[in-house]
Structures are given as C-alpha cells and as structure tokens.
Amino acid sequence: FVSLGCPKNQVDTEIMLGLVRERGDELVDDPELADTLVVNTCGFIESAKEESIETVLELAQVKAAAGGDKKLVMAGCLSQRYPTELAKELPEVDHFLGSSDMLGLAKVLGGEAKRMGVSELSRRAYLYDATAPRQTYGVGHSNYVKIAEGCDRPCGFCIIPKLRGPQRSRAVLDIVSETHALVEQGTKEICLVAQDLTTYGTDLQERGLAPANLEQLLDALNEIDGLRWIRLHYAY
C-alpha cells in the first residue's frame, strides 16, 4: 500500500488495510513480495496529481519486472476524478477504485472485480463507521477520526465535492464508539477530520438520523475516560 494526500485519505487506506487483515491476507513492506499493489491517490492540486501518477508508474515497473503476476490497483480521489481517462492512459493498472470504494478491494483480492470499480458519489455513497475493519498505522498514541465525508459548499475554487461527493456526517454515537475502541488500544489523542468540521451534522436529520452539531459531538467525546486531547482539523 502507498497512501498519498491528506489524513482523510490515510483513514481510507486504513480501512483497506483492515480489510486485508480481516480476509487473512498478509501485509508486506516490499512491493516485490506483494501479489497486489495499491496506490490510494490524491487528485486535489497539480503537484499531488503528478505524485500520484509517478507512484503508479513506479509500481507498474515493479509489476512488469515480475512478469505480470501482480495486480496494480489505483484508488482514491484521482481515480474518482478521471476514471475514463486514466483507464485509457494507464493500461498497466488492473483495477480502479474511487474515493468511496474501499470495500471494493475485497472483490479485487477475491478475483471477482471488474477493471472499473469507481462508484458514483451521492448521499448514499459509502461512509465508514465504528464496525469497519480499520487497521491504524503511525505513532499509536494519536489517531485520526473522520467524522464526515464530502462537502455541500459550492466554492468555485474547490474540486472537493466532485472528488468526495455531498456531505455525509456520521452519527455521534458511532464516532464515540470508534473513539472508545481506539482509546482502549492506547490512543491518547484523536484528530477529528472531515472536509469541513464546522458543517458537521447539518445533513443528519435529512438522512433520518438524530440531529447533532460539532459542539454536541465534542461534549460526548469529552466524556471518554483516558482521552487526553481532541484536535480539530479542517475547520472552514
């Protein structure tokens, strides 16, 4: 796995890592030893797009040197933004997954997936929850928690709604449940991430969930014993 871009992308990669572990497959650090190579890409700004393409091409060389026995998967925002164009320009890539297609990796690993697995983004697009098979990586005492996905703001300068879809907020109890589990595993600090933390909860009632806002979420998280720090990232 190579995870590029923002911490929100890191959480998505951690879902895919957990999926691999849940299946009983082995994670390896050396691409030459891997049967499947996955790049979770960023498609936000030009330099990030270039880094994503360069990484895919580097792993394509590893795949070619192995005689074509490996699968190369391109996932994330760049695949979501240019699925048709990339499929035409990168014949080396075996499978494409979008920004909400983390669970689609299971079909890839099982040999059941089509080449194009980029899903359309909507209010019903995939949003991970506390039951997701997440395998965190990093320092351990600090972890990211994604409280919402997507964005409803129509900013003319920003491509994010097209890459991540409309806002989908997680329920307060679900976020608290995930955070409880992380604290039990040794996490002392959580960093809350979303496209825009300040609009958290504005879509919950529309989706048939209990209404809530960021203040109520923080009050609930503040009750968790053993959690020392809560950091807020990406507040518009």
Side-chain angles (χ1 to χ4, degrees):
F1 279 85
V2 179
S3 188
L4 304 173
C6 65
K8 290 159 285 184
N9 229 29
Q10 177 178 326
V11 174
D12 295 341
T13 300
E14 290 173 345
I15 299 299
M16 291 190 283
L17 289 170
L19 193 66
V20 171
R21 285 270 168 87
E22 188 177 63
R23 281 175 44 87
D25 295 324
E26 183 183 356
L27 293 167
V28 295
D29 292 327
D30 187 346
E32 294 182 1
L33 299 177
D35 298 311
T36 305
L37 308 166
V38 183
V39 183
N40 198 12
T41 62
C42 179
F44 187 48
I45 57 176
E46 200 61 35
S47 59
K49 289 189 283 185
E50 290 173 1
E51 181 184 25
S52 294
I53 295 296
E54 288 170 2
T55 303
V56 169
L57 292 177
E58 285 175 12
L59 291 182
Q61 291 180 340
V62 175
K63 175 190 169 185
D69 291 333
K70 301 179 186 293
K71 292 179 185 176
L72 178 56
V73 182
M74 189 172 181
C77 286
L78 193 60
S79 294
Q80 190 75 47
R81 187 171 184 177
Y82 304 113
T84 306
E85 297 91 328
L86 290 170
K88 186 183 298 183
E89 296 294 328
L90 295 171
E92 307 96 327
V93 177
D94 299 289
H95 297 281
F96 292 90
L97 299 172
S99 61
S100 291
D101 298 313
M102 288 74 75
L103 300 186
L105 183 63
K107 285 190 175 181
V108 171
L109 297 174
E112 307 160 358
K114 298 178 181 178
R115 186 179 185 225
M116 185 54 66
V118 178
S119 302
E120 186 176 340
L121 297 174
S122 70
R123 292 272 187 222
R124 282 176 270 187
Y126 176 70
L127 175 64
Y128 95 99
D129 59 26
T131 66
R134 183 180 174 192
Q135 173 66 48
T136 60
Y137 66 88
V139 293
H141 64 269
S142 178
N143 276 297
Y144 294 106
V145 173
K146 192 192 295 191
I147 66 172
E149 182 62 276
C151 185
D152 289 338
R153 294 188 187 275
C155 303
F157 58 81
C158 184
I159 194 69
I160 287 297
K162 291 183 179 179
L163 299 182
R164 291 285 179 173
Q167 178 159 314
R168 287 102 65 202
S169 300
R170 296 172 60 192
V172 169
L173 287 178
D174 185 61
I175 298 169
V176 169
S177 178
E178 181 191 13
T179 305
H180 259 298
L182 289 171
V183 170
E184 287 177 359
Q185 295 165 19
T187 297
K188 300 296 183 185
E189 168 190 274
I190 58 167
C191 304
L192 301 186
V193 295
Q195 304 306 327
D196 178 9
L197 288 188
T198 57
T199 60
Y200 166 76
T202 54
D203 60 306
L204 285 171
Q205 206 162 3
E206 172 191 340
R207 291 167 45 230
L209 299 171
N213 57 33
L214 184 60
E215 180 184 2
Q216 291 167 317
L217 173 62
L218 292 173
D219 284 343
L221 292 172
N222 195 46
E223 296 298 317
I224 298 176
D225 291 334
L227 182 62
R228 300 291 301 276
W229 287 88
I230 302 172
R231 298 186 185 275
L232 309 182
H233 294 225
Y234 307 104
Y236 182 76

